[in-house]
Amino acid sequence: MSEFSGTIVDVRTRAEFSGGHVVNSVNIPLQEIMEHVEEIKQMKIPIIFCCASGGRSALAAKVAMDMGLSPVVNLSGGVSAWQKAGGVLS
């Protein structure tokens, strides 16, 4: 994904994020999403939301779509699927 020009938002907890995350991703824990609405609206699109397995990021993606952001993507399978596909964690 060296040519990716959007934003990857990792909605896992800070502890999970510090244990390894997609390179260049931003950490906004799911429980803090509503506190960061304006920040999210300013992010470069497409916005890809990720978490450990895809559940929390699906909720975050729905919130973003409800805010009118598009395109918004949920990384299905989360960071686990990213690693299985050969993606690198930082």
Side-chain angles (χ1 to χ4, degrees):
M1 288 189 57
S2 61
E3 296 180 31
F4 179 67
S5 62
T7 307
I8 300 173
V9 179
D10 189 322
V11 298
R12 296 177 300 154
T13 66
R14 294 192 197 303
E16 289 174 295
F17 184 81
S18 66
H21 55 275
V22 175
V23 177
N24 296 323
S25 62
V26 178
N27 184 222
I28 302 176
L30 179 61
Q31 57 272 38
E32 297 177 16
I33 286 288
M34 296 311 293
E35 299 166 24
H36 293 273
V37 169
E38 292 307 314
E39 178 183 346
I40 294 168
K41 286 181 177 180
Q42 300 302 315
M43 290 178 173
K44 197 165 191 178
I45 57 173
I47 300 173
I48 298 176
F49 288 94
C50 68
C51 65
S53 62
R56 289 174 284 181
S57 55
L59 293 172
K62 180 173 182 343
V63 168
M65 286 186 284
D66 289 348
M67 290 189 296
L69 294 175
S70 179
V72 172
V73 178
N74 173 37
L75 180 60
S76 182
V79 174
S80 299
W82 176 267
Q83 285 182 287
K84 286 180 186 172
V88 178
L89 296 184
S90 175

